[in-house]
């Protein structure tokens, strides 16, 4: 074989090898790209349906809402978007476990599907929140009818592992195109309305209103300002006297926190205390309040009344935040106040589950000699049988029971019976909200132990406390 033949043979071999390489590459591309597309499709399928409820997840919901908006805009139709959150769902996870909670969410999702029309959409948005997109809304009256159907789904209990669980839901509603034209805008406003429904007391639905945006913005602004209130010395305590009903002498004081902002002026505790609780700021604020109140009571005892008791309101968030008893012990040691001169008030609006968690802490405080008071009695969750388990020394009757006691109404009989019952439980009674002489006369007749209210003394700064010792009930 000569040199020319060898060169030609090598050329043919290279051509054949190149052809085989290209053919193999094409086969690889065709086969594996198909496999890859199938795998991606499976992954996309997994990521577009919530594995717990088999409902569309957030990503798919947003796509469906976008498509529904386009269709409604094209046909000049209306939509309603509902953001639904289960009320107090965390309690179920805490008491029965997350797997039980997961089964319950699956049952909720299945029941919500029953309220959906053919063109509606539903999915699990996140956690205990669901999103419902209602199509074919003809007019404003159509929404309450649809909402009533959704609400009725929570009338019957959900049976999980044979256990009946009663649930309520808070819902926020927006309409397309009235409240927004994009999916993100509608979702934002529906979520905002849902949270407003929760803050308004839960178990209700609220349509979105422009004022909600202003309320949210104010809340965030106040939270930011509240973070600096302690450092800027904007917080102060006012002291309202409490009187022994039988003698008319001062028993002690209730310390009430006030926020005086340099620009906005006085901000109501009813507004900033919930913000402090939600943000966790109640913990440092509460410690400051306790320390300041104990310091001032030491001064009151030294200058005016050695037996003065200082009552301080404590939030459930503060009580259960961890290290509460250690904090109280540290403040008492630092200020030198006797435990018997401190009264800690807890509001009855605390859920029963919170009291369950707090009982060991309350028993520790009581064992030190600290007085424990249940505030706003008669307005919250506690049952009379449950009070036997709570180590309280004093119950404060809410002013709503005091307003009309001078009249011959059922309210006066209830208040009198309540005082008798509390005494039989071995506790003292403080009535708050005393505004006239007739109310005071009735409470004296019924042997109420202590009273406080504007008739006897308004909350005042510490500099005005000396003048209160000239007042008698």
């Amino acid at each position: 074989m000569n040199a020319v033949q060898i060169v030609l043979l090598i050329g043919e071999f290279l051509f054949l090898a190149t052809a085989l390489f290209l053919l193999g590459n094409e086969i690889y591309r065709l086969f594996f790209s198909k496999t890859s597309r199938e795998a991606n499709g499976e992954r996309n399928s997994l990521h577009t349906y919530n594995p717990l409820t088999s409902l569309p997840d957030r990503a798919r919901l947003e796509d469906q809402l976008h498509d529904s908006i386009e269709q409604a805009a094209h046909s000049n139709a209306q939509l309603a978007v509902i953001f639904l959150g289960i009320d107090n769902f965390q309690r179920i996870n805490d008491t029965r476990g997350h797997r039980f909670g997961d089964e319950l969410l699956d049952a909720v999702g299945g029941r919500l599907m029953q309220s959906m029309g053919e063109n509606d959409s539903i999915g699990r948005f996140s956690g205990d929140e669901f999103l419902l997109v209602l199509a074919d809304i003809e007019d404003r009256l159509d929404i309450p009818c649809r909402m009533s159907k959704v609400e009725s789904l929570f009338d019957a209990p959900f049976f999980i592992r044979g256990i009946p669980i009663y649930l309520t839901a808070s819902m926020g509603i927006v309409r397309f195109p009235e409240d927004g034209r994009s999916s993100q805008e509608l979702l934002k406003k529906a979520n905002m309305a849902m949270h407003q429904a929760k803050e308004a007391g839960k178990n209700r639905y609220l349509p979105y209103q422009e004022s909600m945006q202003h309320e949210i913005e104010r809340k965030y602004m106040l939270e930011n300002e509240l973070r600096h209130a302690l450092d800027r010395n904007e917080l102060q305590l006012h002291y309202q006297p409490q009187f022994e009903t039988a003698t008319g002498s001062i028993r002690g004081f209730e310390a009430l926190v006030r926020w005086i902002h340099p620009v906005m002026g006085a901000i109501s505790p009813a507004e900033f205390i919930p913000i402090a609780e939600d943000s966790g700021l109640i913990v440092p604020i509460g410690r400051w309040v306790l320390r300041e109140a104990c310091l001032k009571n030491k001064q009151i005892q030294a200058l005016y009344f050695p037996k003065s008791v200082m009552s301080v309101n404590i939030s459930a968030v503060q009580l259960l935040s961890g290290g509460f008893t250690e904090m109280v012990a540290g403040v008492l040691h630092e200020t030198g106040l006797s435990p018997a001169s401190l009264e800690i008030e807890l509001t009855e609006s605390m859920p029963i589950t919170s009291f369950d968690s707090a009982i060991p802490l309350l028993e520790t405080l009581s064992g030190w000699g600290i007085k424990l008071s249940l505030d706003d009695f008669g307005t919250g969750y506690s049952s009379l049988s449950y009070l036997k388990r709570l180590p309280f020394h004093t119950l404060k009757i809410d002013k709503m029971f005091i307003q009309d006691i001078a009249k011959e109404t059922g309210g006066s009989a209830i208040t009198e019976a309540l005082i008798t019952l509390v005494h039989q439980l071995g506790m003292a009674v403080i009535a708050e909200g005393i505004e006239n002489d007739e109310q005071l006369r009735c409470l004296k007749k019924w042997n109420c132990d202590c009273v406080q209210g504007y008739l006897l003394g308004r909350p005042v700064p510490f500099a005005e406390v000396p003048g209160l010792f000239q007042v008698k009930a």
Side-chain angles (χ1 to χ4, degrees):
M1 182 179 293
N2 58 32
V4 175
Q5 290 174 322
I6 291 173
V7 171
L8 291 174
L9 183 61
I10 292 173
E12 290 176 358
F13 175 78
L14 291 174
F15 176 79
L16 180 61
T18 302
L20 289 173
F21 174 79
L22 293 173
L23 179 61
N25 187 60
E26 182 66 16
I27 292 172
Y28 178 89
R29 185 185 67 80
L30 290 172
F31 176 77
F32 284 100
S33 64
K34 179 181 179 182
T35 304
S36 176
R37 286 195 301 271
E38 291 173 349
N40 286 334
E42 291 176 0
R43 285 196 295 270
N44 288 337
S45 176
L46 288 174
H47 285 300
T48 54
Y49 286 91
N50 179 261
L52 175 63
T53 61
S54 299
L55 295 174
D57 63 9
R58 178 172 180 171
R60 189 173 183 87
L61 275 171
E62 291 179 348
D63 289 342
Q64 289 179 342
L65 177 57
H66 178 77
D67 293 342
S68 297
I69 289 173
E70 286 191 340
Q71 295 173 10
H74 180 73
S75 59
N76 198 28
Q78 299 182 52
L79 295 174
V81 179
I82 302 168
F83 216 113
L84 183 150
I86 307 299
D87 295 329
N88 304 315
F89 187 78
Q90 186 59 42
R91 288 189 206 164
I92 294 172
N93 279 339
D94 292 342
T95 56
R96 300 193 178 274
H98 287 269
R99 289 187 178 179
F100 188 97
D102 288 345
E103 294 177 34
L104 183 56
L105 286 175
D106 186 27
V108 170
R111 195 176 288 185
L112 287 173
M113 282 287 293
Q114 301 174 16
S115 68
M116 295 294 98
E118 182 179 353
N119 297 321
D120 298 336
S121 302
I122 179 177
R124 185 186 179 199
F125 197 78
S126 65
D128 57 15
E129 297 173 344
F130 294 82
L131 189 73
L132 290 68
V133 181
L134 307 183
D136 305 325
I137 299 296
E138 297 180 1
D139 54 45
R140 186 175 291 275
L141 295 178
D142 195 20
I143 294 179
C145 295
R146 302 288 296 274
M147 291 308 302
S148 295
K149 187 175 181 180
V150 175
E151 286 184 307
S152 67
L153 298 176
F154 292 88
D155 291 342
F158 294 82
F159 283 88
I160 308 298
R161 304 178 190 177
I163 302 172
I165 303 294
Y166 287 89
L167 294 178
T168 61
S170 298
M171 292 171 274
I173 310 167
V174 293
R175 298 175 63 207
F176 169 86
E178 179 178 323
D179 296 318
R181 293 183 172 272
S182 71
S183 59
Q184 291 304 311
E185 184 179 9
L186 292 173
L187 287 173
K188 173 186 173 183
K189 292 180 176 179
N191 186 32
M192 192 180 301
M194 184 268 288
H195 282 289
Q196 289 289 322
K198 285 184 177 290
E199 291 184 6
K202 305 183 177 65
N203 191 24
R204 67 195 64 204
Y205 67 87
L206 290 180
Y208 170 79
Q209 297 177 347
E210 288 296 332
S211 60
M212 292 179 180
Q213 180 67 38
H214 301 306
E215 291 177 15
I216 294 294
E217 290 173 355
R218 177 173 172 81
K219 180 179 178 180
Y220 288 144
M221 181 270 294
L222 288 177
E223 179 181 333
N224 185 60
E225 291 296 305
L226 191 57
R227 292 184 182 279
H228 307 287
L230 274 177
D231 296 335
R232 296 171 180 168
N233 297 316
E234 295 171 5
L235 298 181
Q236 58 181 251
L237 293 185
H238 285 195
Y239 302 87
Q240 185 170 29
Q242 298 173 333
F243 295 86
E244 294 179 354
T245 312
T247 65
S249 302
I250 285 183
R251 175 246 193 192
F253 297 85
E254 180 178 3
L256 301 167
V257 64
R258 298 290 185 260
W259 181 15
I260 311 300
H261 191 275
V263 177
M264 295 180 286
I267 299 171
S268 170
E271 184 174 21
F272 76 80
I273 292 297
I275 294 174
E277 291 179 330
D278 290 343
S279 63
L281 292 170
I282 195 67
V283 175
I285 290 174
R287 186 191 186 284
W288 175 85
V289 168
L290 182 64
R291 181 180 180 276
E292 184 71 10
C294 289
L295 280 173
K296 291 299 189 288
N297 200 37
K298 280 290 290 184
Q299 296 181 41
I300 291 172
Q301 289 179 339
L303 296 173
Y304 310 110
F305 183 43
K307 296 182 179 181
S308 174
V309 174
M310 184 62 69
S311 183
V312 179
N313 294 279
I314 297 296
S315 161
V317 176
Q318 185 182 2
L319 180 66
L320 302 175
S321 62
F324 179 76
T325 54
E326 293 80 1
M327 184 272 290
V328 173
V331 168
L332 290 175
H333 177 75
E334 179 185 356
T335 61
L337 186 70
S338 167
S341 299
L342 174 63
E343 182 172 63
I344 287 179
E345 286 192 20
L346 296 170
T347 177
E348 198 195 5
S349 60
M350 280 179 62
I352 291 295
T353 52
S354 296
F355 275 131
D356 278 332
S357 304
I359 285 177
L361 304 177
L362 298 177
E363 289 177 341
T364 297
L365 297 171
S366 179
W368 293 347
I370 295 173
K371 296 178 175 62
L372 300 175
S373 176
L374 184 60
D375 195 9
D376 299 333
F377 181 69
T379 64
Y381 295 100
S382 297
S383 65
L384 293 174
S385 61
Y386 197 83
L387 288 179
K388 296 179 182 179
R389 296 181 53 202
L390 300 171
F392 287 102
H393 306 88
T394 305
L395 271 70
K396 294 186 73 173
I397 299 178
D398 187 73
K399 61 184 179 182
M400 66 173 286
F401 288 94
I402 306 301
Q403 291 173 351
D404 297 324
I405 61 173
K407 302 176 182 178
E408 294 297 327
T409 63
S412 61
I414 291 173
T415 304
E416 182 181 6
L418 194 56
I419 292 171
T420 301
L421 180 59
V422 173
H423 284 160
Q424 290 176 348
L425 291 172
M427 290 175 268
V429 181
I430 298 179
E432 56 184 353
I434 312 305
E435 297 181 350
N436 59 61
D437 292 324
E438 282 301 302
Q439 293 171 344
L440 182 59
R441 182 187 61 79
C442 290
L443 292 167
K444 284 182 178 180
K445 182 176 67 173
W446 299 333
N447 297 317
C448 181
D449 300 280
C450 298
V451 289
Q452 71 181 85
Y454 283 6
L455 174 69
L456 307 169
R458 293 173 176 265
V460 297
F462 184 72
E464 299 179 29
V465 165
L468 296 174
F469 284 91
Q470 303 173 9
V471 180
K472 277 206 170 190

